[in-house]
């Protein structure tokens, strides 16, 4: 099978198209013929720095495809089923390939009416937002949420998921993307280039921060006592220390494979409450170009690799 692999850490140029043996599903695993796989910040961070586990190899966490084979004991799926999911994260996953073997409960049936490109763009980013709001913050109707980088891969889904939970949603984005973010359902949009959100906002219930740096420290000033600062990049210890006397719950959220979460996301898609936006589609062999685009940090929505044309 074709796959994109790397043998060393480095820039996008370390990604190489290779031929590998097709994996064999173990007990409780399914073998998925991958139709599409999305490109996420964790991919290029792992490529350049080794990621959380210091690994290289085949990147790609969230995929959409068709079940080719099922391992012993699998009951949820059968060959021919269309599925989407986030496999094994943060362990090696292998999504940049024509076939992927992974635990069956890391997947769910693909949403009805959604093509593989859009389905592949959903799992990691949507699960990040879902787990942040539902599992970590216990977001309630009427609460006020700030989503940084609201037009980005995680952000544009987070705005919609927060709205589906009944929240009042504020997003930060460049002025050129304000109409897009409002179209997602955001109640307010702040231009981060001209306005200091930390001077404008107070008594928020939840802040979702995929950016880090000084955004994190400034976000603390916008939250009420008992509010949640959810960091999607690892925060400095000083941020956590600063949050304690303010009575703010601050911490790093690491998303996990989640069959129940995928089913909730599937329902939101099928009910029309969640739509994923794709910025650019590249063929599998142009994964390096996809990484270059992603690292530039100017995309609207997700980047996807098409594996089966």
């Amino acid at each position: 099978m074709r796959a994109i692999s790397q043998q060393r850490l480095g820039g996008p140029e370390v990604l190489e198209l290779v031929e590998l043996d097709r994996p064999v599903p173990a007990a409780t695993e399914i073998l998925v013929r991958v139709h599409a796989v999305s490109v996420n910040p964790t991919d290029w961070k792992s490529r350049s720095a080794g990621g959380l586990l210091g690994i290289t190899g085949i990147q790609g966490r969230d995929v959409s495809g068709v079940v080719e084979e099922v391992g012993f004991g699998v009951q949820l799926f059968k060959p021919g089923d269309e599925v989407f999911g986030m496999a094994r994260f943060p362990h090696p996953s292998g999504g940049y390939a024509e076939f992927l073997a992974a635990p069956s409960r890391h997947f769910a049936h693909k949403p009805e009416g959604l093509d593989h490109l859009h389905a592949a763009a959903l799992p990691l980013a949507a699960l990040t937002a879902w787990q942040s709001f539902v599992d970590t913050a216990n977001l309630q109707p009427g609460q006020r949420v700030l989503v940084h980088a609201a037009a980005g891969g995680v952000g544009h889904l987070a705005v919609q998921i927060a709205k589906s939970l009944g929240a009042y949603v504020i997003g930060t984005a460049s002025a050129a993307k304000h109409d897009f973010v409002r179209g997602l359902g955001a109640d307010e949009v702040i231009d981060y280039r001209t306005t200091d959100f930390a001077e404008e906002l107070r008594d928020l219930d939840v802040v979702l921060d995929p950016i880090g740096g000084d955004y994190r420290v400034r976000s603390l000033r916008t939250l009420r006592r008992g509010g949640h600062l959810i960091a999607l990049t690892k925060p400095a210890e000083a941020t956590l220390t600063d949050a304690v006397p303010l009575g703010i719950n601050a911490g790093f959220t690491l998303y996990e494979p989640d069959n129940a979460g995928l089913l909730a996301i599937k329902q939101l898609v099928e009910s029309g409450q969640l739509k994923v936006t794709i910025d650019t589609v590249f063929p599998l062999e142009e994964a390096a170009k996809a990484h270059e685009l992603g690292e530039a940090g100017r995309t609207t929505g997700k980047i996807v690799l098409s594996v089966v044309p």
Side-chain angles (χ1 to χ4, degrees), residues 160-179:
Q160 297 173 77
I161 289 172
K163 288 300 295 183
S164 77
L165 296 168
Y168 183 94
V169 181
I170 306 162
T172 62
S174 63
K177 298 179 179 180
H178 280 203
D179 287 345

Side-chain angles (χ1 to χ4, degrees), residues 6-7 33 68 82 84 98 160 174 177 220 264 273:
Q6 66 179 103
Q7 299 305 311
R33 181 176 180 83
E68 185 84 3
E82 294 186 319
F84 77 128
E98 291 182 304
Q160 297 173 77
S174 63
K177 298 179 179 180
L220 288 175
Q273 297 179 80

Side-chain angles (χ1 to χ4, degrees), residues 84-86 104-109 111 122-124 126-127 130-131 257-268:
F84 77 128
M86 182 179 76
S104 66
R105 291 183 181 271
H106 291 184
F107 294 87
H109 288 97
L122 276 169
L124 187 149
L127 281 175
W130 180 263
Q131 291 173 6
D258 181 358
N259 176 259
L262 287 172
L263 292 174
I265 291 162
K266 170 181 161 71
Q267 184 176 20
L268 289 178

